[in-house]
Amino acid sequence: MCARRVETQRSANRAVADWTAKVSLDVPSGIRFIVALAVDGAAKRIALGTEDGVVQVRSLVSGKALWQASLGDRAGVVLFDGNVLRVATSNTVVGFDVTSGLEVERASIPSTSFFLMASDDHARVAAVVFGTGLAVWAPARGELVPLAP
C-alpha cells in the first residue's frame, strides 16, 4: 500500500492505493498531519497516527472509522501486532485492543521511538529509540530492557 494525494475540486485529500494506483481508501481531509500508517491486510484495516496525537483505525473496505483515541502526544509509529495496535509517542508505547480501541497496555521508553517491531509469537516488542538503541520488553510482564547501541 502507498499513500498519495488525490486532488478534488473542493480540497486535497489523501488516499491509500495499491502499487497500480487503485484507491482503496480516501482519507477524509479532517485528519491532518498523518505521520504514521500501518496496514493490516488480512483484517482489511488501516491505522493512522497524527502529529497531534490522534490514532484512528479505519476499515479498508468501507472507509468507516472503527475507533479513534487521543494520546495528547505525537503518534509517531503504529504497528499491528496480533490483537494489539501499538503506538509509539515521545516516551511511551501504548497498546490498544484492535477491535474495541480500549487501552490494554502502556510501557515507558527512554526517548522517542522511530521504529517498532514485534516477535512472531507476540511475546516481545522492540523499539528503536533515539540515543538509547534498542529497547525490548515482554508486554505480558511489563519488563523493559534498554540495550546499548
Side-chain angles (χ1 to χ4, degrees):
M1 292 276 179
C2 64
R4 67 176 175 88
R5 291 181 71 85
V6 176
E7 299 295 330
T8 64
Q9 292 179 349
R10 294 181 11 202
S11 65
N13 292 331
R14 288 173 185 82
V16 176
D18 65 14
W19 67 277
T20 66
K22 179 184 174 202
V23 174
S24 300
L25 172 68
D26 276 322
V27 178
S29 57
I31 302 173
R32 298 181 37 188
F33 306 114
I34 297 169
V35 294
L37 175 138
V39 176
D40 182 350
K44 297 189 182 335
R45 58 185 162 216
I46 186 170
L48 306 170
T50 69
E51 183 69 35
D52 56 355
V54 173
V55 178
Q56 189 175 84
V57 174
R58 293 184 157 271
S59 166
L60 281 173
V61 176
S62 68
K64 178 181 169 187
L66 304 174
W67 59 266
Q68 177 174 305
S70 181
L71 298 170
D73 191 5
R74 182 179 194 264
V77 182
V78 292
L79 169 73
F80 284 107
D81 181 17
N83 293 326
V84 177
L85 175 70
R86 300 187 196 283
V87 182
T89 67
S90 62
N91 61 358
T92 307
V93 176
V94 181
F96 295 95
D97 177 87
V98 294
T99 305
S100 67
L102 294 174
E103 184 176 324
V104 295
E105 64 186 39
R106 182 176 287 257
S108 293
I109 54 177
S111 182
T112 302
S113 174
F114 59 92
F115 191 73
L116 289 174
M117 300 159 277
S119 62
D120 290 340
D121 61 359
H122 312 292
R124 289 169 304 284
V125 179
V128 179
V129 180
F130 286 111
T132 301
L134 197 61
V136 180
W137 69 97
R141 295 191 300 252
E143 298 170 350
L144 177 67
V145 181
L147 305 172

